[in-house]
Amino acid sequence: MEEQPITPALVEEHNLTAAEYERIVATLGRTPTLTELGIFSVMWSEHCSYKSSRVHLRRLPTRGPCVIQGPGENAGVVDIGEGEAAVFKIESHNHPSFIEPYQGAATGVGGIIRDIFTMGARPIACLDSLRFGPLLDAKNRFLLDGVVAGIAGYGNCIGIPTVGGEVYFDDSYSLNPLVNVLCLGVARRDQIFYGKASGVGNPVIYVGARTGRDGIHGATMASAEFDETSQERRPTVQVGDPFQEKLLLEACLEAFKTGAVLGIQDMGAAGLTCSTCEMGARGGVGVRIELDRVPQREEGMTPYEIMLSESQERMLMTVAAGREGEILEIFRKWDLEAAVIGEVIADGVMHVEQGGRVVARIPNTALTDDAPVYERPLRRPAYLDKVNALNLDRLALPGGLFRAFKDMLAAANLCSRRWIYRQYDHMVRTNTALLPGADAAVLRLKGRRAALAVTTDGNGRYTWLDPRRGAMIAVAEACRNLVCAGARPLAATNCLNFPSPEDPEVMWTFAEVIDGIAEACAAFGTPITGGNVSFYNETLGKQIMPTPVIGMLGVIDDVERRMDIAFKEPGHAVLLLGETLEELGGTEYLELVHGLKQGPIPRLDLQREANLQGAVREMIGAGLLASCHDVSEGGLAMALADCCFASPDPTMAVEVTLAQDLREDAILFGESQSRAVVSAPDAHADRIAAIAADWSVPCALIGRVSRDVFAIRLNGHTLVIDDVISLRDIWTTSLETILH
């Protein structure tokens, strides 16, 4: 196989352009070997090199008082006080999950977990952010079922809880589901490990599972759009083993305690290739490896296959010379493969040898820092003017708002996600302080009063209609969700899911999204510590909506002051914080009831949003609130329903009386930003109002927590009234009914 001549067809097969191949030849000063061509192919792929996005990602804020490690490492690291650090990141596994949903999703979970414990942190939780096509299509139901089973199968077996997330459905995701997974871990601040090789003469050790032929060219596959032959790429999807990863996790954490480990890198995308050259590049050194020493589970593997395999549950580490024996013994004790396969050298070059001959010799920086960077052309999409022309005066009210409300409760994008999260073990390790269904997940920090809050948020419809503002809203809602749980937002990670970067309209949208995220993160003091860009999410010319997903981390000073969304006691006052405007563009209601996916999307004033968040944090910190829930998709009516349905008491209800001169459907279902529904004892109402006034946040008493009857009245007319148990049943069972 190594003697195969390098032809233009072979170069194209490796997803490299003619210009890129010429650059490879110029870099090496010769024709590459087949193994070298494969190495350049994966390292210069969009998935690994970010060659189309790097010029834009530089505009994101990445520094802040709490940031210990920003983008460029396996995961971001932030200071959470008392000598501890939180390590977190979000990644995508979209293409593999379309080809093979169970293993694609499972290995996505495994990969992001490894990114966390590679940094020296013990993973404590995962969240997912999922997108699928409409569930009336059997293929989409198959994908959802397989992805959820894969996430559950891996997370449950390894013993890391999946504590929250989101799922949305839209036709644009029918041929390109999105599977984004966030993992959060905790480490001592002075015991963070980095993916950097150092110390000439130090041994390079391979640990974990044996290398097989699964996953070869996975990174390249993730950097191309799909066509009718996509299912033929099943061999590029890795196969995961969560029990093996559990052993690897514990063995790595034990090895770190010895002080002998100097650097470590997960063999994720591009496998042994990526870990070898990136560790060398970060350390400014070279790495020499001998492929005959690599543990292999299949006979006759070529250098090309060994270097490009993406077999799971593997790590590469550099260790202090003379101490390799104790590290090898730790991994063998955990029944894992461990072998010295090379050493650190001084020349800054990746040397790959087999059987005494060199099969690849490439400068590390040629594969990493000096990979191609493209400034793709940008063009504003022509469709934007059309889809943002929405005249509410011509939009008739539906025949019955109560009927519309029940349709909203049953909608796939708004109904209960119980069918999904019941498949996840969300209580393992006993850190989970808020169950799935809250605005954010809350995780206890053992031995401390403080807790961590984490959420994922994104609205592809908003971003499709207005890329910059849609991205800003994603950041704002992520912050608002944390604040409603009682947390102070610290930092963010992002997963940016887009179609082909070769389309100027896609790149214009991408650039606008970056600027929106940057502006909002700067306003809220939540720097981006890392993330992932997933391009080429399109099949047969059908593109996904641009879908940036924001993962946000916050800290709660006292876990006992965490806040959930459930109404607690009949008679409690229900108050609306923030202003409701006559806005229906981009809403779930507009598409579900009127069949319109049009804008303009809700306005966002960053200062008003910051004021709302400040007021809510002060109210929760003072112990004034019994519940708090942000108003987002589905508007005020859905927020009120959520607060009722979150109660363990099935009779918990609310009666609301509104007085406002706006369209009735905008009042019920409009998605005006910077709002929250809170409940509290009457004794606290005056102080809540005073705090809201101090922050210049509108505050209105709109009703009372009640029992049995859910009612919303406006200007003397009853818009919605029904038995709350009947409404709860619609909301709770709809997803399961659709799926079965």
Side-chain angles (χ1 to χ4, degrees), residues 1-5 10 14 34-35 216 302-305 357:
M1 188 174 181
E2 285 301 313
E3 288 71 34
Q4 185 174 352
L10 188 63
H14 281 75
L34 178 62
T35 296
I216 294 173
T302 66
Y304 182 98
E305 292 171 330
R357 69 185 181 97

Side-chain angles (χ1 to χ4, degrees), residues 100-111:
E100 211 303 301
Y102 184 95
Q103 290 296 348
T107 51
V109 173

Side-chain angles (χ1 to χ4, degrees), residues 556-599:
I556 300 175
D557 295 329
D558 185 349
V559 68
E560 298 304 319
R561 286 289 170 90
R562 67 189 182 278
M563 185 58 54
D564 66 19
I565 72 173
F567 289 145
K568 303 298 188 301
E569 294 287 342
H572 276 182
V574 176
L575 302 100
L576 176 63
L577 305 178
E579 184 179 6
T580 300
L581 304 174
E582 195 161 81
E583 299 174 309
L584 287 172
T587 60
E588 289 286 342
Y589 162 79
L590 189 67
E591 183 167 5
L592 181 72
V593 176
H594 294 277
L596 298 175
K597 188 187 293 185
Q598 289 182 238

Side-chain angles (χ1 to χ4, degrees), residues 179-196:
V179 178
N180 298 177
V181 180
L182 180 150
C183 188
L184 167 67
V186 176
R188 297 300 304 172
R189 177 174 175 160
D190 58 358
Q191 295 175 12
I192 303 298
F193 287 79
Y194 299 95
K196 180 171 70 173

Side-chain angles (χ1 to χ4, degrees), residues 342-390:
E343 64 178 340
V344 178
I345 54 180
D347 62 2
V349 174
M350 180 177 74
H351 298 257
V352 183
E353 301 175 5
Q354 186 183 55
R357 69 185 181 97
V358 176
V359 296
R361 182 183 288 124
I362 307 172
N364 289 318
T365 54
L367 298 170
T368 56
D369 300 346
D370 296 335
V373 175
Y374 296 130
E375 293 194 38
R376 304 276 192 187
L378 312 177
R379 184 175 66 243
R380 184 178 183 273
Y383 74 82
L384 283 176
D385 291 331
K386 180 179 179 180
V387 298
N388 276 281
L390 175 65

